[in-house]
Structures are given as C-alpha cells and as structure tokens.
Amino acid sequence: MMLRTTPLTSETVDTPRDEDIQALLQFSGGPAFAQPRSFYTSHPYQRPLRPQDVTPALLDVPMTSDKLDTPEHLLAQRLLLNIYEQDLVFLPKPPNRLDMKAFKGFYDPATMALGKQVRPLLEEHTYGWLKDDVHINGSWCEESFIAHTDKVLEDIGHSPSRLHEVLTGSRDPQRAARFFLIQCAGDFLSEASAMARNVLGNAGAHTSELFKILIDEYGYGIDKKKHSSLFEALLDQAGLNSQVHHYWQFYTASSLSLTNYFHYVSANHGEFFRYIGAMYYTEASLALTTGHQSRALRDIFGDTVSTEYFDEHQHIDVHHGRMALERLIIPMIRQYGKQVIPDLIRGFEEFRLLQDQADEELYAHIKWHDELDACRARAAMLHGSKPADARFTEPQGEVSVLHSHANNELFWVESGELEFVATPQLSLKLCAGEGVIIPKGMLHGTQITSASCTYTVTAI
Ligand SMILES: [Fe+2]
Ligand SMILES: [Fe+2]
Ligand SMILES: [Fe+2]
C-alpha cells in the first residue's frame, strides 16, 4: 500500500495505524539518520538510514524467511538498532571530538519516544517469522533440554570451520577478513550491552549469576580487559577504524539482526527466558568457534594482528557456557518448572538459526567481492539488451548510502564518473560507458566524483 498523500485529518490520524506510520516517518526523518557526505561516520550519532525508503509497508507486511535479503529487511534492522541504541551511552573516542549538538540530537527524548512507539511493530515485522520457522514442539524437561543442546553444541565442536575456509580461500583473504571484522564491529564494540538490560531488578540469585558473566564481558572495570576494548585493539591492528559504527553503512542485515535479536529479547522482559536460551547458545558455541576465528586471522595476517580477542573468548566462554547452563538454566527450570523451557529452547534455536543466516550472508558477500571483475565484464555484455528501468543524475559528492536490491541489477554509467563501493577495501571507478552487475541482496553504495553523473539501473 502507498502512504496517504492527502492531508491528514482527525479522521485519518485517529486510527493507531496512521499514528504509527507518522511516528515511523518522523523518527526516521531525524538528523542522526539523514543523508551523509561520506560512506563512513565520524561519530556514533550519525547512522544514515535512507529515510526515502521508509514506507508504511515496513509496519504492514511481515518479514518472512525468504525475504531476509531484501532492502526492507536491511532498513528495518537499521531502524531497530537505532531505537535500541538510544538506550545506550556512546561517546566518541580520540582523536574524534564530541559534537554536542549531534550528541543531544541522537538522544532527543521526543525522537526516542517515537522510536519506542513503533518498536513493537518493527519487532513483530522483523522477528515474527521466527514463530513459523523455529519448531520447538514436544514435551520438554530438564533432561531433554540438556540432551538436545549438548548434541547441537557437540556437532558444532566436531564440524570443520566454514569461516576459516571462506576467509583463507578468498581471492583476497585480508580483504575478506576485514569484511568479517566489520560485520562483528556493530556488536563487539559495545559488547554485552543487551545483557546489561537483564541485570537490573531482582531475579534473586539469577541476577547475581548473570552479573558474573556481565562483569567478565566488561573486564571487571579494567578498561583494557573489556571485551569491546580487546576488539578495538584488533581493529586498529588490522588497519580498520575502531570508532563505534564507523562502518555503519557496511553492516549486512543479518549481522544487524544478531545484535538486534539480543536487544529484542532483552528490552522486552517477558522474553527473559528466550534471552537466557539465546545467551547460552552464543556463549557455548563461541567457546567452540573462536578458536577457528583466531586461527583464520593468524593464517591471514601473521603476527601483525593480535588474536587476543578471540583467544580470550575461546577460554572464557567455556566458563560462560557452563555458567549459563549450570548456574542459570538448570536452577531456573528447577525453581519455575517446565513452563520456562519452551522459551529457553526457543531462544537457543532462534539465535542458532540467525547466526547461520548471518554466516551465509557474510560468505555470499565475500564471494561477490571476489567476482566483482567478472560482474563488470558481464555488465558490458548485457548493457543495451533491455531498456533501463530508471535513470538518475546526481551532483558531485552525492552519496548513495549503502543498500541492496530485491533483484539482480545492471548498473550503468551514461555520463560523468563515480566511485562504486562494495566494501571499504574494494571500490570501482566507473566512467561513462562502464557498469557492473549487482546481484540481489548485495550491499553497495556510490559517490559521484565528477561535476555531474548520470547512471541507469535495470532489473535483470
Ligand atoms: Fe565477550
Ligand atoms: Fe562471554
Ligand atoms: Fe543500488
């Protein structure tokens, strides 16, 4: 459906739906989410959204698992992370200075209230499909929960690492590894923030047990030991920028989805047991996969990059996984009965599925980056085979915020020139008479580098 173009009257705004649509449009029209001048951000309060893409369908048409590579999913995930992260404190780190106006603007209470208004609708839109795709039928008890989750984790422990294979097998392993680190950065630079939402209040001994995991994540108050600090050091050594969300535009939808899922089940405390189940999956599986991640970085960067971040997790997450099961899950089942198990198992299975999807999307992007030259050659072959769907003329410096398309597209420059970016380490200069094929779901952006540039797009 299309957004109403007639003036709003009391009749049209009085239904909750219209109010929600207006709230969504107003929220996404905020200065923090506006059109940028670069692909990169210089402070944590700048999170370009492409507000022109925000339509009522975002609140209207639920996501399904076969639509996760659509631009709508990416937009919904960007919106949700902004809404959730207005609850967290972010300050820029040197050499970047604090822009007081942008800081106050990002945390503007009226804008935050609009975000909170639409959050449940966006959550339902973005994660409602999990109910259909994750089946947890059957009667669960403590023993069957343990047997099932042990088996899943055992299988992960025994399988070879696809990540290692994909990164080291790339045509440019360092570029692939950096793209992987960028996908991690959205979450790891404020690691365990969602967990912190769960340690307020009084859940008896469970609060204290969870708090023990949280303070490990935060380095017991030692800044250098904080997991996000370890990750900053790793980014710096890998030649990447470690400011929070410097690479905001480069996150895939499913990477954002991992961070957002934890906020979703943590900001809604009725989903607390789902949170605990998901947390158990991530802590216990990280103990098994971080060893491969560490090895991949060592194989790719040699000793120029410290793998301490992943090595620390390989060690500490063995404990965190055990603590989640033995100090939280089992005592909770014994105290509150079987009624909590469906949510525990649901969280465990849902996060497992989301993690697998994020891995697949990462691998698909690395494959596309490796094939970009071939996509350029294919564009030259296909150009002219059918009329263009749309033509755009933009002035010098204009940035098209990274986005993706629901179809394979032929992108073609007719006059002028531009920079076409796929990842910070891979961009093409495209001049008049040159183009590239953009497979569906692949992130890309452009910036005009001549006085003016005209380009066309054609679905193929
Ligand atoms: Fe951690
Ligand atoms: Fe951990
Ligand atoms: Fe595009």
Side-chain angles (χ1 to χ4, degrees), residues 85-100:
E85 288 201 342
Q86 284 174 325
D87 293 338
L88 314 181
V89 179
F90 291 104
L91 289 168
K93 64 170 203 164
N96 290 5
R97 309 236 306 259
L98 176 64
D99 178 338
M100 206 63 183

Side-chain angles (χ1 to χ4, degrees), residues 7 37 120 127-128 168 221 235 248 278 284 356 397 404 412 421 455 460:
R37 293 204 198 98
Y127 292 112
T168 56
L235 289 179
W248 167 263
D356 288 349
S404 65
W412 193 259
V421 70
Y455 61 88
I460 51 167

Side-chain angles (χ1 to χ4, degrees), residues 195-196 198-200 205-218 220 323 328:
M195 183 184 281
N198 295 292
V199 295
L200 305 180
H206 310 306
T207 301
S208 308
E209 292 301 333
L210 186 57
F211 199 77
K212 285 180 196 157
I213 301 180
L214 182 75
I215 54 177
D216 272 348
E217 304 288 344
Y218 277 83
Y220 280 82
M323 285 158 85
L328 283 159

Side-chain angles (χ1 to χ4, degrees), residues 191 195 213 216-217 227 283 286 313 316-317 320:
E191 188 161 327
M195 183 184 281
I213 301 180
D216 272 348
E217 304 288 344
H227 289 181
E283 296 290 342
L286 278 175
H313 281 85
I316 199 76
D317 282 346
H320 290 170

Side-chain angles (χ1 to χ4, degrees), residues 69-310:
D69 59 357
T70 58
E72 290 78 18
H73 184 224
L74 176 64
L75 178 58
Q77 293 290 357
R78 284 175 172 171
L79 277 162
L80 269 180
L81 192 60
N82 287 335
I83 294 168
Y84 291 132
E85 288 201 342
Q86 284 174 325
D87 293 338
L88 314 181
V89 179
F90 291 104
L91 289 168
K93 64 170 203 164
N96 290 5
R97 309 236 306 259
L98 176 64
D99 178 338
M100 206 63 183
K101 193 170 163 218
F103 167 70
K104 295 272 187 189
F106 182 67
Y107 295 113
D108 171 58
T111 310
M112 284 180 67
L114 294 168
K116 296 260 190 300
Q117 180 182 336
V118 295
R119 197 189 82 197
L121 295 162
L122 277 173
E123 286 168 338
E124 182 54 31
H125 167 87
T126 311
Y127 292 112
W129 61 272
L130 285 167
K131 283 196 288 291
D132 303 321
D133 284 52
V134 174
H135 303 284
I136 52 151
N137 306 339
S139 94
W140 292 93
C141 62
E142 183 185 318
E143 289 70 31
S144 58
F145 177 91
I146 295 171
H148 172 75
T149 52
D150 275 358
K151 171 81 173 64
V152 168
L153 294 166
E154 210 182 288
D155 288 350
I156 294 173
H158 287 139
S159 27
S161 171
R162 266 271 317 279
L163 179 83
H164 184 277
E165 186 190 318
V166 169
L167 296 185
T168 56
S170 164
R171 283 179 66 178
D172 187 335
Q174 293 204 357
R175 180 180 72 208
R178 290 190 177 104
F179 190 70
F180 161 63
L181 293 174
I182 287 170
Q183 298 313 312
C184 298
D187 185 27
F188 294 2
L189 289 177
S190 52
E191 188 161 327
S193 292
M195 183 184 281
R197 293 180 189 265
N198 295 292
V199 295
L200 305 180
N202 188 345
H206 310 306
T207 301
S208 308
E209 292 301 333
L210 186 57
F211 199 77
K212 285 180 196 157
I213 301 180
L214 182 75
I215 54 177
D216 272 348
E217 304 288 344
Y218 277 83
Y220 280 82
I222 312 288
D223 186 55
K224 268 198 340 221
K225 298 271 175 202
K226 196 168 62 175
H227 289 181
S228 59
S229 303
L230 298 179
F231 194 71
E232 277 176 30
L234 171 53
L235 289 179
D236 291 337
Q237 288 163 5
L240 292 166
N241 189 302
S242 58
Q243 284 281 348
V244 168
H245 296 327
H246 179 77
Y247 301 106
W248 167 263
Q249 297 186 41
F250 293 86
Y251 302 146
T252 65
S254 56
S255 301
L256 289 164
S257 178
L258 297 177
T259 317
N260 280 335
Y261 179 84
F262 271 116
H263 283 296
Y264 161 50
V265 292
S266 301
N268 296 286
H269 291 310
E271 308 305 328
F272 178 68
F273 296 103
R274 257 166 110 194
Y275 167 76
I276 294 292
M279 188 269 288
Y280 175 43
Y281 176 79
T282 197
E283 296 290 342
S285 64
L286 278 175
L288 304 165
T289 54
T290 43
H292 297 304
Q293 292 162 348
S294 179
R295 188 164 52 89
L297 291 187
R298 252 192 327 272
D299 290 349
I300 291 169
F301 292 106
D303 52 14
T304 58
V305 162
S306 159
T307 55
E308 189 185 358
Y309 175 86
F310 293 112

Side-chain angles (χ1 to χ4, degrees), residues 50 400-405 409 411 420 438 442 444-446 455 457:
R50 291 173 61 96
S400 172
V401 170
L402 271 86
H403 60 280
S404 65
H405 299 287
E409 279 213 348
F411 179 93
F420 179 95
I438 307 161
M442 294 295 112
H444 62 281
T446 54
Y455 61 88
V457 291

Side-chain angles (χ1 to χ4, degrees), residues 324-345:
L325 180 66
E326 292 171 7
R327 312 297 289 268
L328 283 159
I329 291 176
I330 293 174
M332 280 172 179
I333 295 174
R334 290 185 184 164
Q335 187 177 349
Y336 305 115
K338 285 185 192 174
Q339 60 176 341
V340 301
I341 304 183
D343 276 10
L344 290 168
I345 195 79

